[in-house]
Amino acid sequence: MNFEGKVVLVTGASRGIGAAIARAFAKEGAFVIVNYLQNKMLAEKVAAECIQLGGDGYAIQGDVTSEEAVNQMIEEIMLEAGKIDVVVNNAFKSFQFNPETRKLAWEVQWEDYQGQIDGAVRSAHYICQAVIPIMKKQSQGSIINIITNLVERPIVPYHEYNTAKTALMGYSRNLAVEVGSFGIRVNCVAPGLVYPTDASRTTKENLKELIIAQTPLKRIATPEDIAGPVLFLASDWSRFMTGQTLYVDGGFVM
Amino acid sequence: MLASGRRVYSIGERNSKMRITAGYIPNIGETKFDKKILKFQDLEVELPLLTLEQMQRVIDTVKRESAEILKSLSVSTVVDIIGYVTEQFLDRSSSYRQQAEKLLPIVTGYDEEVIRLGLTSFLKTFRKHELQRFLVEDLGNPLLLDHFQPRAKGGFSKAIGPELITHVWAGNVPALPIWSFVSGLLVKAGNIGKVSSSEPLFAGWFAKALAEAEPSLANCFAVVWWKGGDEKREKMIFEKSNLVIGYGNNETLKALKKQVPITTRFLPFGHKVSFGIISKSALDAHKAWRIAHQAALDVIRYDQQGCYSPHLFYVQKGGKVSPVEFARLIAGELENFEKRYPRRKLSMEESVALASWRQKEEMSTFTETGKEVLGTSTHQWTVVFEEEEKVFTASPLNRVIRVISFEKLEDILPYIKPYRSFLQTIGMAATPKELFHWAELLANVGVTRITALGKMTSPEAGWHHDGRFNLLDLIQMVDIESSAIVDSEQFAPYVD
Amino acid sequence: MTQQREIIEELSQFIKKNQASEEEFNSLALHIFNYQYKHNLPYQTFCRQKGKTPRLVKNWRDIPYVPMSAFKEVPLTCSDPEAAVRVFMTSGTTQGKQGKHFHSTLEIRELSMIINFKERFMKETNRIRMGILFPTEEKMPHSSLAHYLALVMKEFGTEDSCYLLKENGVHIQKIISELEHAEKTGEPFALLGASFSFVHLFEELERLGKTFNLPKGSKILDSGGYKNKSKELDLNEFYQLLERYFGVDRSNCINMYGITELSTQFYDDGNEVVPSIKTGPSWIRTRVINPLTGEEVPEGERGVLVHYDLANFNSVMAVATEDVGMAVDEGFYLFGRVQGAEARGCSLAVEEFIQLAKGTAK
């Protein structure tokens, strides 16, 4: 897969899955825009790695839940690169994935939902609103939204998180219908439990074992495992796919 | 009466190149002709190149036989024959159709699917019931072509077709010559057609199929080739013709006209400009895509080479889908069509012209705000969007279209008006009220045809090509005035 | 040191060295592209529109090229156009708009010309008596060819070198006396000028029934084609006539190919066989492309020439011509200007339309 000359924006790319996706694109020659919220040092390290890997990297701060910040960021990218070919909406609002301490349904406040919906749908929406005019002009573009396999099988009902990610899947499908006429594709990648990431650092071993036992490929995903399907959906190889969700969980969901 | 000289069509392998014979020569008592070879990729087309003397004999033969045989047939018989031949070319299992689908893509460079769809949509116009429409449209009473018919004003009239019509066809839009050829046949004229070097095949096939369908007509027409601008030959042929129908750009037509003597009528069909107009009422979230789809279809059909193909689209502001969004929708559709119906491979000259045009448009986006050039060098199409650009410009064609926004149709009319004599078709998407209102305005600036988007390249049977009549322009009327009839009564043997 | 100065220094070294590996060429090309992207704003917009910014371009082949016609539309320069020391202009073509090439300094352009001319035309000779069949720089201050000829005469001509044109054509008496002088003394002589001036000269000499036999070491340089100024001559015939009228071997008749929009010229090694192969020095490279895709055409196929001239540091390095050519190992064949595309159907062609628009404007 050759991404030379392609401009790829990955949100929340200073660490974890986002960083792995950024590196994977760079390895194929892409110019990767490494968006981050707080961790400048880590983001710049990822950008430097992108260059080492044969692509190019550019760390750029931007709060994706702020419309103004998003527009500013996209403008800056356009000045630097002149175009955006691929967007990976990977950033999300931090969440404690702990099946034991999670909120029970009757404990969840609307604000909990709102926070997660803002983190997932609102941020993706701002980014999409900003890049779609650019992609329309190019008559092509690929948007990939990172969700979770919990949307299909909520093995742990993290209400606010799962609901927000499910909403993002619905958002993606509707968007796919509308922008398909302009040659723009919108798809989702739904990883299972990915370890290690900051979000999964506290996940208990017994849950991991439970998941492994029920996973045909008998292990837990690494961040690098997620990158492959993302690159596929970004590439011309998937040129006739849109509105789809690829589950990347070793067969846990099927 | 199958004359051996009419070996019109044969395929033979020679040096791994396919060689076919084209054109159609009636029986003039000899079968040996000089040859002109036209080369198209792996195909060689061999056309008979007649000496002036042979040409003279063709003219004499066609004149004589069409007077004796064609003119003795009733118009309904002629319609039956043409309709039958048309059905053969529509039938995908017939050998004629199969050859056309196989060879026309090679000769013209158009994609096979484009040819297949284009042929069907075009030929449908010449089925029996559509031919009847041609007749009624122009003549009211088709029997005028057979016998003297009573007229409302009194007296009787008959429509007489010319002894000889010479057609000078042009361009590479496949099968297009059939339009004037069929018109000529309907008025029972002798017809000699000169094919263009860029599509020398179809007219000859049609002639051959006619002769096969009705062998008695075999000597009533000819399909030949000579090098355009061969003044001596043109002068000689035009001298013997009653009517010359010429196609081409004004330069070519001017040159032709110079060779036409005063006693021969000349019907020139010059190059034209067509465009589309889309009302804001057609641009809601639900309908916009379909309109863009239809508009793109008009663009890809024969890569805009037809006189009815759009050069640009005027799109009204104020709809749910803005003009620039509409331009982007067309771009998306052009890309989708590219996968189904790829663009013809362009020559170096065309490529350079297109590339430099495109780059020039790109450069001008620096100074013109709101302007967008859609598509990249990897695309086989270009869409340029301009905000209320107060100009009317031609497209370099080959899937290049300009979208221009407007407020009121009245605003753009002054920019269109100077091109009055070059305007032809408008593809329109508008409410019935707008349709008629705008039609009035456009008619006044010289437009001669208004049709739906998606139909620009498929005019209906009996359309008034460039505002003219298909048949009326070919015939002359002969009147028997009522006084002659009244007067004749007294000489009847049964007069009381 | 200013950025421009830095580039000039680097370029001078590069040109003086006159040999460069792919990497060296690439690295300087990218450096200059960076500079032009930053300082030539219309070009920057153009590159951004193409999605090809310095950030994304890693190979000189990917540097966005502008069409020659762009020089007519906008001032393509990295420095203030008002402050240009020299502006070269293309001869007005059909549309009447002239392309402008702004120069903030002539330093690099002249260095490029001198080193290249010495290598390709002068060779081991240091000076030669020259006759120039072209107007002077004073007469045509905006002609890049006039500047070129004036420069080479100054740098490589003997003191007796002179211009051989007068107000309305060739100065035939002067030409004859120069040529006779060369014949008599045996001193090598170089005739340099526009191709069409030679065509005029042929006509004059034919009228007078005169031919010459210039001494060994004499050379001829022609440039620029005929551009409708005179009757079209077959290329082969042109060099036959040069040989016949002046007695200069066709291998010593050199054609220079240059365009106003560039700062470096191409030469052939004589014209015993036409078309000859054109080559340039180490600081210019040429790609033969399919104009629609911008991709290089397969070897042996015709395409359009795009030149990447590092000496064009102040405008745009990559310029797409409308010249058709074919790449060969050492250089390229030049087949001349691409002809206008013909209308294929019955739709009005753009060319026709432009004629019409002109007509209605009158």
Side-chain angles (χ1 to χ4, degrees):
Chain A
M1 223 173 320
N2 187 356
F3 282 95
E4 240 162 76
K6 298 282 180 197
V7 181
V8 179
L9 165 63
V10 184
T11 68
S14 63
R15 55 195 172 141
I17 298 175
I21 292 171
R23 281 191 291 262
F25 272 113
K27 209 171 151 216
E28 304 301 327
F31 174 26
V32 185
I33 318 285
V34 180
N35 158 263
Y36 67 97
L37 178 60
Q38 282 159 339
N39 210 326
K40 184 172 184 193
M41 232 170 62
L42 272 182
E44 274 170 359
K45 191 166 153 264
V46 173
E49 282 170 345
C50 287
I51 296 168
Q52 264 173 19
L53 286 163
D56 196 357
Y58 179 50
I60 182 167
Q61 198 277 334
D63 177 1
V64 288
T65 59
S66 152
E67 190 168 15
E68 200 193 331
V70 164
N71 289 342
Q72 225 169 358
M73 178 172 80
I74 299 297
E75 209 170 291
E76 198 177 324
I77 296 169
M78 286 305 282
L79 273 179
E80 188 73 16
K83 63 169 183 178
I84 298 175
D85 298 294
V86 177
V87 168
V88 183
N89 283 307
N90 167 73
F92 68 103
K93 189 177 159 64
S94 62
F95 187 77
Q96 274 309 311
F97 297 94
N98 188 330
E100 289 154 12
T101 60
R102 69 174 177 87
K103 283 189 176 151
L104 297 168
W106 41 90
E107 293 170 356
V108 187
Q109 300 290 306
W110 174 250
E111 287 67 34
D112 298 324
Y113 279 116
Q114 191 65 58
Q116 280 301 317
I117 288 172
D118 283 352
V121 187
R122 187 174 183 164
S123 62
H125 179 62
Y126 287 155
I127 295 270
C128 290
Q129 289 293 77
V131 298
I132 282 171
I134 296 162
M135 290 181 167
K136 270 183 183 167
K137 213 170 148 181
Q138 297 162 185
S139 290
Q140 58 192 2
S142 175
I143 297 172
I144 297 137
N145 295 329
I146 306 296
I147 54 171
T148 167
N149 72 340
L150 294 169
V151 303
E152 181 68 17
R153 185 177 167 193
I155 181 168
V156 185
Y158 299 117
H159 300 281
E160 59 275 50
Y161 177 78
N162 293 359
T163 302
K165 286 295 196 185
T166 310
L168 182 55
M169 181 167 71
Y171 174 86
S172 305
R173 289 175 174 173
N174 283 283
L175 187 63
V177 173
E178 192 92 311
V179 297
S181 334
F182 302 95
I184 305 170
R185 300 183 294 114
V186 189
N187 291 287
C188 294
V189 167
L193 180 65
V194 177
Y195 188 87
T197 66
D198 283 357
S200 63
R201 213 164 295 284
T202 54
T203 308
K204 292 281 164 40
E205 287 307 308
N206 62 356
L207 179 64
K208 284 190 219 158
E209 287 304 324
L210 177 84
I211 292 173
I212 288 169
Q214 292 187 41
T215 298
L217 292 176
K218 297 299 175 214
R219 65 175 177 85
I220 279 176
T222 64
E224 289 70 30
D225 290 331
I226 311 308
V230 172
L231 261 65
F232 166 71
L233 287 174
S235 77
D236 201 42
W237 287 348
S238 62
R239 62 176 172 265
F240 204 51
M241 286 178 70
T242 194
Q244 303 302 310
T245 298
L246 292 183
Y247 292 93
V248 189
D249 59 3
F252 185 81
V253 161
M254 59 169 81
Chain B
M1 47 180 295
L2 263 170
S4 56
R6 291 185 293 103
R7 195 177 63 93
V8 172
Y9 184 83
S10 71
I11 294 186
E13 292 290 319
R14 195 177 299 176
N15 304 333
S16 84
K17 279 208 169 191
M18 215 182 345
R19 163 82 68 105
I20 61 161
T21 332
Y24 177 90
I25 308 294
N27 184 5
I28 57 167
E30 61 183 304
T31 58
K32 284 246 182 312
F33 304 109
D34 280 349
K35 288 168 190 146
K36 165 73 187 179
I37 312 288
L38 300 171
K39 293 193 170 82
F40 303 91
Q41 297 168 55
D42 294 331
L43 179 74
E44 290 182 352
V45 175
E46 183 183 310
L47 285 151
L49 196 56
L50 276 58
T51 62
L52 285 183
E53 197 206 332
Q54 287 167 333
M55 195 67 227
Q56 179 64 60
R57 261 181 286 157
V58 166
I59 292 171
D60 293 342
T61 307
V62 168
K63 273 190 171 181
R64 186 186 63 242
E65 300 254 340
S66 63
E68 281 174 17
I69 299 166
L70 184 54
K71 286 202 169 57
S72 73
L73 299 179
S74 71
V75 69
S76 66
T77 309
V78 176
V79 163
D80 281 340
I81 297 167
I82 301 171
Y84 172 77
V85 168
T86 301
E87 297 287 347
Q88 280 191 301
F89 279 95
L90 280 167
D91 174 7
R92 298 199 63 204
S93 67
S94 82
S95 60
Y96 280 116
R97 174 71 183 210
Q98 283 169 4
Q99 297 305 344
E101 287 191 14
K102 181 173 164 200
L103 299 177
L104 290 177
I106 303 176
V107 166
T108 61
Y110 295 119
D111 178 64
E112 290 172 19
E113 286 289 282
V114 171
I115 296 269
R116 182 173 68 77
L117 295 176
L119 275 184
T120 301
S121 122
F122 180 68
L123 287 164
K124 272 156 77 181
T125 323
F126 304 104
R127 289 172 296 171
K128 183 177 171 182
H129 66 277
E130 300 283 15
L131 292 171
Q132 287 169 329
R133 198 185 303 280
F134 269 93
L135 291 166
V136 173
E137 180 61 38
D138 272 20
L139 297 168
N141 176 4
L143 293 178
L144 277 166
L145 284 162
D146 291 344
H147 308 287
F148 279 99
Q149 296 291 309
R151 306 306 306 249
K153 71 171 174 62
F156 284 72
S157 294
K158 183 178 176 184
I160 304 286
E163 265 190 293
L164 180 63
I165 301 177
T166 298
H167 310 256
V168 180
W169 294 312
N172 73 340
V173 176
L176 207 59
I178 299 310
W179 201 284
S180 74
F181 190 11
V182 165
S183 301
L185 290 168
L186 284 176
V187 300
K188 307 181 197 174
N191 288 279
I192 294 179
K194 170 195 175 296
V195 292
S196 89
S197 311
S198 43
E199 200 280 86
L201 298 178
F202 199 88
W205 292 336
F206 201 81
K208 193 202 172 204
L210 280 167
E212 264 179 18
E214 180 50 56
S216 70
L217 292 183
N219 296 325
C220 297
F221 38 77
V223 176
V224 297
W225 183 89
W226 68 80
K227 191 164 168 44
D230 181 342
E231 294 187 5
K232 207 166 148 197
R233 182 175 299 255
E234 287 174 357
K235 217 176 197 112
M236 187 274 260
I237 298 168
F238 298 168
E239 191 82 45
K240 312 271 179 196
S241 311
N242 309 93
L243 178 65
V244 174
I245 303 180
Y247 294 86
N249 63 28
N250 281 356
E251 227 22 61
T252 314
L253 294 175
K254 215 157 89 190
L256 279 180
K257 193 176 176 182
K258 249 177 63 190
Q259 311 306 330
V260 180
I262 192 77
T263 46
T264 301
R265 277 195 305 133
F266 181 53
L267 282 184
F269 289 96
H271 289 175
K272 295 290 167 193
V273 183
S274 296
F275 58 98
I277 298 180
I278 292 125
S279 153
K280 65 181 176 195
S281 47
L283 295 176
D284 61 33
H286 186 59
K287 302 191 196 85
W289 175 81
R290 199 185 62 85
I291 300 293
H293 179 81
Q294 303 290 80
L297 200 60
D298 284 331
V299 174
I300 62 123
R301 288 253 161 92
Y302 295 133
D303 299 340
Q304 293 164 288
Q305 299 296 328
C307 49
Y308 31 51
S309 301
H311 280 254
L312 45 103
F313 292 114
Y314 285 109
V315 181
Q316 195 176 26
K317 292 197 219 180
K320 176 93 184 151
V321 172
S322 69
V324 66
E325 290 294 330
F326 187 73
R328 290 165 178 166
L329 277 175
I330 292 184
E333 281 312 288
L334 288 175
E335 178 62 10
N336 291 334
F337 277 127
E338 176 60 30
K339 300 231 161 58
R340 263 166 86 188
Y341 313 117
R343 180 173 70 185
R344 186 173 57 87
K345 193 173 183 299
L346 303 183
S347 70
M348 174 69 67
E349 287 71 25
E350 290 171 307
S351 302
V352 171
L354 214 57
S356 68
W357 179 90
R358 197 195 142 84
Q359 278 163 328
K360 204 173 153 205
E361 290 291 325
E362 281 172 344
M363 302 295 289
S364 71
T365 57
F366 308 164
T367 46
E368 291 166 41
T369 47
K371 183 165 178 169
E372 275 188 23
V373 179
L374 303 168
T376 66
S377 58
T378 60
H379 292 125
Q380 306 278 299
W381 48 265
T382 305
V383 178
V384 175
F385 171 76
E386 283 177 274
E387 199 77 61
E388 283 190 70
E389 183 56 50
K390 299 269 193 265
V391 286
F392 179 71
T393 49
S395 154
L397 310 179
N398 296 315
R399 308 198 178 184
V400 171
I401 196 81
R402 194 182 293 269
V403 173
I404 299 173
S405 66
F406 74 97
E407 292 269 4
K408 294 202 312 291
L409 188 67
E410 285 82 350
D411 297 340
I412 51 178
L413 288 175
Y415 302 95
I416 301 172
K417 213 173 160 183
Y419 302 98
R420 166 178 279 272
S421 56
F422 293 88
L423 302 179
Q424 196 205 60
T425 296
I426 306 285
M428 197 184 285
T431 66
K433 193 174 165 193
E434 285 166 335
L435 172 66
F436 282 100
H437 175 56
W438 288 355
E440 291 283 351
L441 296 173
L442 290 162
N444 287 336
V445 297
V447 165
T448 59
R449 172 175 170 245
I450 294 165
T451 185
L453 282 176
K455 291 282 176 211
M456 291 182 74
T457 65
S458 328
E460 45 185 41
W463 75 305
H464 296 108
H465 187 183
D466 293 346
R468 300 299 317 167
F469 294 92
N470 293 293
L471 307 181
L472 279 183
D473 276 353
L474 309 185
I475 54 169
Q476 65 183 35
M477 297 299 281
V478 183
D479 294 338
I480 301 177
E481 296 196 343
S482 50
S483 63
I485 300 165
V486 172
D487 209 31
S488 73
E489 293 289 358
Q490 58 177 311
F491 309 124
Y494 43 76
V495 68
D496 292 326
Chain C
M1 202 158 43
T2 65
Q3 239 180 326
Q4 174 176 313
R5 203 61 241 166
E6 215 174 286
I7 295 250
I8 291 175
E9 292 301 324
E10 203 177 339
L11 254 171
S12 306
Q13 295 305 318
F14 195 97
I15 291 172
K16 282 177 191 152
K17 188 172 153 215
N18 198 8
Q19 59 179 51
S21 65
E22 171 78 14
E23 291 77 44
E24 285 166 330
F25 183 87
N26 196 49
S27 134
L28 185 53
L30 292 178
H31 187 178
I32 293 175
F33 171 49
N34 229 315
Y35 173 78
Q36 294 180 340
Y37 182 82
K38 208 153 134 198
H39 298 283
N40 184 339
L41 294 182
Y43 182 56
Q44 184 188 93
T45 319
F46 183 75
C47 295
R48 283 225 305 275
Q49 158 108 5
K50 297 232 164 248
K52 284 191 174 176
T53 65
R55 194 81 204 206
L56 290 163
V57 172
K58 307 285 179 218
N59 187 299
W60 63 270
R61 292 179 177 83
D62 287 331
I63 294 173
Y65 52 81
V66 300
M68 280 178 1
S69 57
F71 286 81
K72 294 180 190 163
E73 306 294 326
V74 280
L76 284 172
T77 168
C78 293
S79 47
D80 181 6
E82 300 289 317
V85 297
R86 201 65 178 271
V87 184
F88 294 119
M89 296 189 194
T90 58
S91 45
T93 49
T94 39
Q95 313 227 353
K97 253 187 187 172
Q98 288 181 292
K100 289 184 183 150
H101 191 177
F102 297 91
H103 289 270
S104 57
T105 162
L106 289 174
E107 197 178 333
I108 290 294
R109 180 185 167 86
E110 293 187 347
L111 183 68
S112 164
M113 282 179 180
I114 289 166
I115 290 191
N116 199 15
F117 187 82
K118 172 77 174 87
E119 185 187 335
R120 304 301 300 275
F121 189 78
M122 297 305 292
K123 298 173 186 159
E124 60 287 343
T125 317
N126 285 327
R127 283 193 180 269
I128 189 165
R129 183 161 172 154
M130 291 181 179
I132 309 284
L133 286 167
F134 202 74
T136 61
E137 253 190 308
E138 290 70 36
K139 280 255 167 57
M140 297 183 76
H142 294 301
S143 158
S144 55
L145 185 56
H147 170 249
Y148 168 94
L149 291 168
L151 182 74
V152 300
M153 186 164 100
K154 186 178 115 216
E155 292 290 322
F156 300 104
T158 62
E159 274 181 15
D160 308 311
S161 299
C162 59
Y163 281 85
L164 299 174
L165 292 193
K166 57 178 184 186
E167 274 311 314
N168 37 12
V170 291
H171 196 324
I172 193 70
Q173 292 89 350
K174 200 167 177 189
I175 292 171
I176 290 172
S177 83
E178 280 295 304
L179 295 173
E180 279 175 347
H181 176 266
E183 272 182 330
K184 216 160 43 203
T185 60
E187 183 193 348
F189 188 73
L191 256 180
L192 302 92
S195 314
F196 65 81
S197 304
F198 282 98
V199 179
H200 286 310
L201 185 53
F202 295 153
E203 284 162 7
E204 287 290 311
L205 292 175
E206 188 185 2
R207 201 170 49 82
L208 298 169
K210 267 198 166 317
T211 60
F212 299 88
N213 198 358
L214 290 173
K216 196 168 167 292
S218 296
K219 299 158 191 260
I220 290 175
L221 181 135
D222 79 288
S223 178
Y226 320 115
K227 279 188 193 158
N228 308 327
K229 297 223 175 169
S230 182
K231 63 173 182 179
E232 285 278 332
L233 266 189
D234 172 40
L235 208 53
N236 196 35
E237 200 185 338
F238 180 78
Y239 289 103
Q240 262 169 11
L241 290 173
L242 280 183
E243 195 172 28
R244 182 189 322 152
Y245 282 114
F246 307 110
V248 175
D249 218 23
R250 281 175 66 160
S251 60
N252 288 320
C253 294
I254 291 170
N255 174 263
M256 183 274 274
Y257 162 59
I259 56 177
T260 306
E261 293 82 355
L262 295 180
S263 303
T264 301
Q265 296 76 35
F266 295 90
Y267 298 93
D268 52 40
D269 293 320
N271 282 277
E272 274 169 301
V273 196
V274 286
S276 54
I277 296 172
K278 300 276 187 283
T279 49
S282 59
W283 57 92
I284 190 165
R285 294 198 175 196
T286 299
R287 290 169 69 223
V288 182
I289 59 152
N290 171 335
L292 286 179
T293 61
E295 309 268 332
E296 267 161 59
V297 298
E299 223 179 87
E301 274 186 29
R302 298 185 326 145
V304 166
L305 301 177
V306 179
H307 305 300
Y308 298 76
D309 181 8
L310 301 185
N312 244 18
F313 77 95
N314 187 54
S315 53
V316 173
M317 168 198 357
V319 178
T321 66
E322 290 178 0
D323 293 323
V324 178
M326 187 201 285
V328 285
D329 277 349
E330 321 83 280
F332 56 86
Y333 287 115
L334 174 69
F335 299 128
R337 224 4 126 77
V338 71
Q339 299 299 308
E342 250 180 84
R344 302 185 68 92
C346 49
S347 186
L348 200 70
V350 174
E351 289 303 316
E352 263 181 278
F353 192 89
I354 290 168
Q355 293 307 318
L356 258 175
K358 276 188 187 159
T360 53
K362 268 173 208 161

